[in-house]
Amino acid sequence: PAQVQARGLAVQTLVRVEQRNLLAERVAAELRARNDFEKAPGVVRRFLTGPWSQVLAQARLEVSDASPVSPADSPALRYSDILPDLLWSSQLALASLNRPRLVKVIPGVLRTLREGLDSIDYPREKTESFFQALMGLHEAAYKTQRSEPAPHDEPPSVQHELDDEPWMQRTEARDSCLMDDSFTDGPSTQVSTQPAFLETRPLQRDWADLKAEMAGQGAQVLPVGTWVDVLQDGQAMRWQITWASPHGTLFLFTGANGRSLSMTKRGLERLLEQDRLRVVAHHGVVDEALDEVARQAWINSSRS
């Protein structure tokens, strides 16, 4: 029962993660469409289309579940309202021309940014790293004198600003048993001693073709029921795909002992690239045996 409950929690968590990430992609597109977005420094643009889009997405998802609040107290509204001040204050050429406004808006912007990042449990070290970069921009704008030539911002970066890896909070990674090297307390410590069992036959497959199919078709290439061997801690562990998210970005595996393991689509692709994941069968020998029993029963009934 405990394993069934854990699997239910994992599925529920993964559904929420995919829903938030899909909404965050739309939020990021909205942010890029702003007139003041492209002139902001690259570090600010990457922050907005990365963690801050997750903050806005989660706040919007929580609106329907929250008790009625006044517009001024809505986190989703507060997190959006600081965007003009954040983008303006990060542009040296503009912020340096109005130091009184800069001094006035900085405390509120920093306070709201920290509140939003805390709401998604964003790693503290990454939060402080961004704050240092942002405060460096603010300091440079404040120290620039009116008599000096207006400084020029760096040209917009062409670097892709969104990671294709779905964002998860640490609690979500734990609840969904995410296989990720960045979470040392994850499921890798739970399954390292699980023995592989030999009831399936290796499936001959060209891995380059499989990866190309995954890129185009998502979860359809590795359907629910597929058995895979995952090389983990130097040992091959056998898992079966027992659930895939509606959009094919997240997968849930179940081991022989009933424990669960989740993985992102990008994580699957990485394991394939590293030759750490191999498909051994699209269904187990138990399924084949049941099919054979049914076939034999049909033959026997037709003869009688």
Side-chain angles (χ1 to χ4, degrees):
Q3 292 172 344
V4 172
Q5 184 178 6
R7 184 181 183 278
L9 176 61
V11 170
Q12 182 181 7
T13 301
L14 292 173
V15 169
R16 183 174 66 246
V17 167
E18 183 176 67
Q19 183 182 18
R20 187 185 62 238
N21 276 278
L22 292 174
L23 179 56
E25 292 178 4
R26 295 197 293 269
V27 171
E30 295 173 6
L31 295 175
R32 291 192 186 93
R34 293 178 60 97
N35 294 331
D36 52 357
F37 179 81
E38 285 299 331
K39 295 181 180 179
V43 63
V44 175
R45 298 199 312 276
R46 287 189 292 273
F47 170 79
L48 290 178
T49 56
W52 201 247
S53 67
Q54 294 286 338
V55 170
L56 289 169
Q58 176 152 308
R60 293 183 185 181
L61 291 175
E62 292 175 349
V63 167
S64 59
D65 299 330
S67 57
V69 294
S70 63
D73 294 331
S74 169
L77 184 60
R78 290 201 308 274
Y79 300 156
S80 296
D81 284 347
I82 67 164
L83 293 175
D85 286 338
L86 172 60
L87 289 164
W88 172 83
S89 66
S90 66
Q91 298 178 54
L92 242 58
L94 294 179
S96 62
L97 299 178
N98 194 343
R99 290 197 294 177
R101 179 189 172 187
L102 182 64
V103 173
K104 181 180 179 181
V105 304
I106 284 177
V109 167
L110 296 180
R111 182 171 57 251
T112 305
L113 288 176
R114 190 174 294 279
E115 175 193 340
L117 293 173
D118 286 345
S119 73
I120 64 168
D121 192 25
Y122 195 65
R124 182 68 61 180
E125 61 276 10
K126 293 185 178 181
T127 297
E128 298 307 325
S129 176
F130 172 73
F131 274 26
Q132 289 180 9
L134 181 61
M135 288 187 289
L137 295 172
H138 290 163
E139 183 179 4
Y142 183 81
K143 289 182 177 180
T144 300
Q145 301 297 322
R146 288 180 177 272
S147 58
E148 298 178 7
H152 295 284
D153 293 328
E154 296 180 0
S157 170
V158 296
Q159 180 180 354
H160 187 57
E161 294 168 353
L162 260 186
D163 189 3
D164 58 359
E165 188 74 62
W167 159 254
M168 278 195 191
Q169 303 175 21
R170 285 185 177 269
T171 54
E172 292 172 336
R174 183 193 65 228
D175 292 343
S176 63
C177 305
L178 178 71
M179 180 180 179
D180 192 321
D181 294 338
S182 65
F183 296 97
T184 56
D185 56 346
S188 60
T189 59
Q190 301 175 353
V191 298
S192 59
T193 59
Q194 176 188 329
F197 49 94
L198 304 176
E199 69 201 57
T200 50
R201 299 190 300 272
L203 178 69
Q204 301 300 323
R205 191 72 183 276
D206 186 280
W207 300 115
D209 292 343
L210 178 59
K211 182 184 174 184
E213 291 178 13
M214 285 185 65
Q217 302 178 35
Q220 297 177 3
V221 178
L222 295 180
V224 171
T226 300
W227 288 95
V228 299
D229 277 345
V230 179
L231 183 62
Q232 195 171 13
D233 297 332
Q235 185 177 1
M237 310 298 167
R238 188 147 296 176
W239 300 84
Q240 185 180 34
I241 300 178
T242 54
W243 179 86
S245 64
H247 294 271
T249 63
L250 297 163
F251 298 84
L252 186 66
F253 299 74
T254 301
N257 58 2
R259 288 183 174 174
S260 298
L261 172 72
S262 72
M263 205 177 301
T264 66
K265 179 183 176 183
R266 184 68 188 100
L268 276 174
E269 293 174 349
R270 279 199 300 267
L271 291 179
L272 286 171
E273 291 170 356
Q274 300 165 3
D275 200 26
R276 293 176 56 198
L277 183 147
R278 289 185 176 274
V279 177
V280 293
H282 286 300
H283 51 87
V285 165
V286 173
D287 298 326
E288 293 179 354
L290 291 175
D291 291 342
E292 178 60 24
V293 169
R295 188 182 71 85
Q296 191 61 47
W298 179 83
I299 293 175
N300 293 339
S301 64
S302 63
R303 289 175 178 173
S304 60

